[in-house]
Structure formats: structure tokens, C-alpha cells
Amino acid sequence: MREFVFPNSKLSVLKKAVSSATNDIPTRVEVLTSLLYKTAVAAATPTSGCFKPSC
């Protein structure tokens, strides 16, 4: 089992960046979830630029 630790300072910076782009104030969980989702989609996107959902 692996444990990933995200420092509070880095999450705060990310939270400020997201909240400045929108009028919402996201929670730390929302910020981290969106970061992980964005990274997963970028990794799963083929070179054609199309995201294909798994079957």
C-alpha cells in the first residue's frame, strides 16, 4: 500500500489559483480530486488528443 502526502502549503497555493479563476471557494478535497482527475485524463489521452473512456 502506498501513501501519498500532499503538503498543506502546496494545496493552499492550488486552492488560491482555483478560487482566483472562479468565484467559488473549493475545499482541499475538491482541489486534490480535480488535480488527480486532470492528470489521469492527460495520461490516458492518446496522441490524437481524444479521450476514450474505458469499456
Side-chain angles (χ1 to χ4, degrees):
M1 182 175 195
R2 287 188 176 183
E3 180 178 330
F4 295 96
V5 178
F6 295 91
N8 286 333
S9 60
K10 298 294 182 181
L11 285 175
S12 295
V13 169
L14 233 108
K15 191 174 177 179
K16 286 180 185 177
V18 171
S19 64
S20 68
T22 64
N23 289 337
D24 295 333
I25 300 174
T27 64
R28 289 177 38 188
V29 172
E30 290 172 332
V31 169
L32 185 56
T33 303
S34 64
L35 173 67
L36 292 174
Y37 180 77
K38 179 182 173 183
T39 306
V41 168
T45 304
T47 56
S48 66
C50 240
F51 177 69
K52 295 179 183 176
S54 60
C55 297

